[in-house]
Amino acid sequence: GNVLLGDFIKANDAYTELLEIFDPSIPFSWELASSGYLEIGAKAWQMVCLQFLGETKRARVLASDHLHYADEHHDSMTLYHIHTFPALYCLEARAWQQAYVIIENYIPIVKEFGDPVFILTAEVYYHIASAFIGNASSLDIAVNLLETCFKIGFKAFGVSLSPYISDLYLHYKKPELALQWSNSILEHVNRTGTHSKTCELLRLKGLALIDTNADADKAEEAFNQAISLAQKQSAKTFELRASKDLAELFYKAGNIEKAKKLLKPIYNWFEPDEDSIDLAEAEKLLVKLSGDEIN
């Protein structure tokens, strides 16, 4: 629940506490927990929280180790959390090809079990990743699948994956659809309070406004809303992305110092991470802004 509400600190603390007290030697059917085997479910959710919180290296370690559990566990629920969460982590880290490979390998497994909800979610991940790596037809399929999620009441899941649709519309040069989709989902989350990805929806709305040649002030407002919410949620990754996009807007308007003042503090908060796409993009912009190496 805390993840869906956007309280990532509280959620991460809960997963940490749970893992500290978890004792597999106790004779209990741990695999009957709501996310399958308890340790795996907790680590699955924690890797996503850590990515949101900007703990990118810790998230990556959990994700890279997670698939190894498949050798020991064979129930449907546990396998779902073993495969889909590393794929989700890769989507969150924008490692599209890795996400695609992980979920492509999982789909035959989930289809063998035949659970319709697990199949639906796996196909959502698959077509999102597929669209990002260049398979344009997967975008329409992903949209239809997410609309199905909303229709059958699987709305929290639909919200959490919705920003990728806005991102993909922008990727495929369809900013009007990106803006329409972002606004539609934002209306939903403002009614329901499911704010796990509101920062991203606002950021992508800002990018869509720019690409539709809207008033730059409206885009700036969307970016600032994303930054403000990310700060309240301690969602450093989302704050970095929105700050980078707003700094880019300032840069194009000639406001170099304003752009540096915005982006540099959040960039410097992160530990160096050569594998982080977000940090690499922020660094590239800072170099462009300074005309020199970052101090």
Side-chain angles (χ1 to χ4, degrees):
N2 290 324
V3 175
L4 299 179
L5 294 172
D7 196 341
F8 305 127
I9 290 285
K10 188 178 290 185
N12 185 55
D13 288 346
Y15 299 134
T16 299
E17 182 179 359
L18 188 153
L19 290 167
E20 286 174 351
I21 65 175
F22 171 72
D23 185 353
S25 69
I26 296 175
F28 179 79
S29 299
W30 296 110
E31 71 279 2
L32 297 181
S34 58
S35 56
Y37 193 72
L38 190 62
E39 177 187 20
I40 293 170
K43 287 182 176 179
W45 283 98
Q46 187 172 41
M47 73 176 70
V48 175
C49 276
L50 289 171
Q51 177 64 20
F52 294 164
L53 292 169
E55 300 287 344
T56 57
K57 289 184 177 179
R58 290 179 61 198
R60 189 178 302 114
V61 168
L62 279 178
S64 62
D65 290 345
H66 210 67
L67 290 171
H68 298 155
Y69 287 119
D71 295 333
E72 305 170 16
H73 298 273
H74 305 287
D75 64 284
S76 178
M77 178 68 78
T78 303
L79 286 172
Y80 173 80
H81 282 78
I82 288 171
H83 290 89
T84 61
F85 276 80
L88 177 58
Y89 157 78
C90 288
L91 290 177
E92 296 294 349
R94 299 167 62 200
W96 315 123
Q97 183 65 43
Q98 289 175 259
Y100 178 83
V101 171
I102 292 170
I103 210 68
E104 184 181 39
N105 290 333
Y106 172 61
I107 283 180
I109 298 171
V110 71
K111 286 186 174 179
E112 184 177 346
F113 278 102
D115 187 303
V117 173
F118 289 176
I119 292 172
L120 173 62
T121 56
E123 289 183 342
V124 170
Y125 290 131
Y126 175 81
H127 285 288
I128 287 172
S130 176
F132 273 117
I133 64 174
N135 300 316
S137 61
S138 280
L139 171 53
D140 289 337
I141 297 173
V143 170
N144 289 334
L145 289 169
L146 277 183
E147 288 176 343
T148 297
C149 290
F150 281 102
K151 288 176 183 176
I152 67 173
F154 202 20
K155 297 179 181 180
F157 176 81
V159 166
S160 67
L161 275 294
S162 284
Y164 296 119
I165 302 302
S166 299
D167 203 352
L168 282 165
Y169 278 139
L170 292 171
H171 180 76
Y172 284 101
K173 312 299 182 186
K174 299 178 179 180
E176 293 85 2
L177 291 177
L179 185 58
Q180 180 181 334
W181 180 270
S182 297
N183 283 332
S184 174
I185 304 301
L186 283 167
E187 288 178 8
H188 172 81
V189 300
N190 288 331
R191 290 196 308 270
T192 63
T194 49
H195 289 296
S196 61
K197 302 299 280 295
T198 303
C199 299
E200 282 288 85
L201 288 165
L202 288 166
R203 179 183 71 86
L204 292 160
K205 176 181 177 178
L207 290 175
L209 286 165
I210 292 171
D211 287 353
T212 54
N213 299 313
D215 189 329
D217 289 344
K218 293 182 179 179
E220 183 176 345
E221 180 183 3
F223 291 140
N224 277 322
Q225 288 175 340
I227 292 167
S228 178
L229 180 56
Q231 289 171 343
K232 290 178 182 177
Q233 295 178 331
S234 299
K236 297 294 186 180
T237 294
F238 297 156
E239 183 182 351
L240 177 66
R241 291 177 185 172
S243 297
K244 193 272 292 183
D245 289 338
L246 180 54
E248 187 86 48
L249 184 64
F250 290 155
Y251 169 71
K252 290 178 179 177
N255 297 320
I256 308 300
E257 290 304 315
K258 192 174 182 179
K260 286 195 288 187
K261 186 177 180 181
L262 171 67
L263 184 55
K264 212 166 188 181
I266 182 61
Y267 173 85
N268 287 337
W269 179 90
F270 284 81
E271 293 183 7
D273 184 353
E274 294 179 356
D275 295 320
S276 169
I277 294 170
D278 293 311
L279 282 173
E281 289 185 353
E283 179 177 1
K284 183 178 179 180
L285 177 56
L286 282 168
V287 169
K288 191 189 324 184
L289 291 169
S290 64
D292 200 351
E293 296 297 322
I294 301 171
N295 296 321

